[in-house]
Amino acid sequence: MTQAEELKSLAGTQARREAFLAEIGGVLPAAHRERIARILELIGWLLGVLEMKNLSIARLRQLCFGNRNESASQVLGKPPQAKPRGSAKGHGRHSHRCYTGARRVRIAHPTLIAGQKCPQCQKGRLRPHKKPAIAIQVSAQPPVGAVIHEMEQLRCDACGRLFTAATPPEAGVEKYDPSVGVMAAIMRYG
């Protein structure tokens, strides 16, 4: 009898497994018998899978040992997020840093200054925020030019509220002036 045939006979049916475990039951402690029973069940499952003959070695390895590139998010699922974040303004196809020749205009908050008490909670002090709010106005001038309006942002150190200076009217609502499309067409098709 070959080794494969021996494995098939041992792991073949539940009755054969129980008979084998009864034979060695007096010699081994209960914990070892339980472990051997699980090993025999695994061998039976493995032989059954191999007899189907439609399983690649890579798929079999993945079934037995799991995915090799498991990450915590694949195993545990995605962690819950506190709140969905919307897209930040001014972070589109080209950020304000791409406009290297643009004129930058700094706009201070009209009513609040750094160091002043927070108008919301009256407990904390306003501190300058690292990044100003950005509004870009691109207009056509040979070939195109841009003005970047940097609105001052003040953050309360107690409640965390952010106060941003209003966008000036000359910044407009749209990023691109209508003349930019015309200038681009003239430059392209001349």
Side-chain angles (χ1 to χ4, degrees):
M1 187 182 263
T2 66
Q3 287 182 343
E5 291 171 347
E6 272 185 50
L7 283 175
K8 278 186 181 180
S9 69
L10 278 178
T13 63
Q14 181 70 23
R16 285 185 182 164
R17 283 195 297 265
E18 287 177 5
F20 175 73
L21 290 172
E23 283 180 33
I24 62 169
V27 180
L28 296 174
H32 293 310
R33 276 195 311 263
E34 179 65 30
R35 186 174 290 164
I36 290 174
R38 281 195 239 138
I39 290 171
L40 289 176
E41 284 179 32
L42 176 65
I43 291 171
W45 172 81
L46 188 60
L47 289 173
V49 168
L50 289 175
E51 283 179 355
M52 287 191 295
K53 295 182 183 175
N54 61 352
L55 190 67
S56 69
I57 297 297
R59 179 75 177 132
L60 178 64
R61 184 177 41 207
Q62 185 180 4
L63 282 173
C64 291
F65 303 111
N67 197 354
R68 293 189 79 201
N69 57 358
E70 287 180 343
S71 65
S73 64
Q74 288 176 335
V75 175
L76 304 174
K78 294 197 175 199
Q81 291 184 345
K83 61 178 182 177
R85 291 183 63 185
S87 61
K89 301 264 185 199
H91 295 82
R93 177 175 237 164
H94 300 290
S95 78
H96 67 95
R97 291 179 200 90
C98 293
Y99 298 97
T100 55
R103 185 171 51 99
R104 294 185 176 267
V105 178
R106 296 185 76 70
I107 299 162
H109 199 285
T111 58
L112 303 174
I113 57 172
Q116 182 180 353
K117 276 194 175 230
C118 175
Q120 186 75 28
C121 68
Q122 298 295 324
K123 294 178 185 174
R125 300 268 178 207
L126 296 178
R127 305 287 178 223
H129 195 60
K130 295 177 195 173
K131 300 176 189 173
I134 301 292
I136 301 174
Q137 178 62 38
V138 180
S139 60
Q141 60 183 22
V144 291
V147 177
I148 299 174
H149 299 277
E150 296 178 345
M151 283 75 69
E152 181 181 31
Q153 289 188 320
L154 300 170
R155 186 180 154 277
C156 175
D157 58 5
C159 67
R161 173 113 187 231
L162 200 61
F163 299 94
T164 305
T167 306
E170 60 267 14
V173 178
E174 296 293 322
K175 179 176 180 177
Y176 293 99
D177 189 77
S179 61
V180 174
V182 175
M183 182 58 76
I186 290 171
M187 296 297 290
R188 172 73 172 105
Y189 299 107

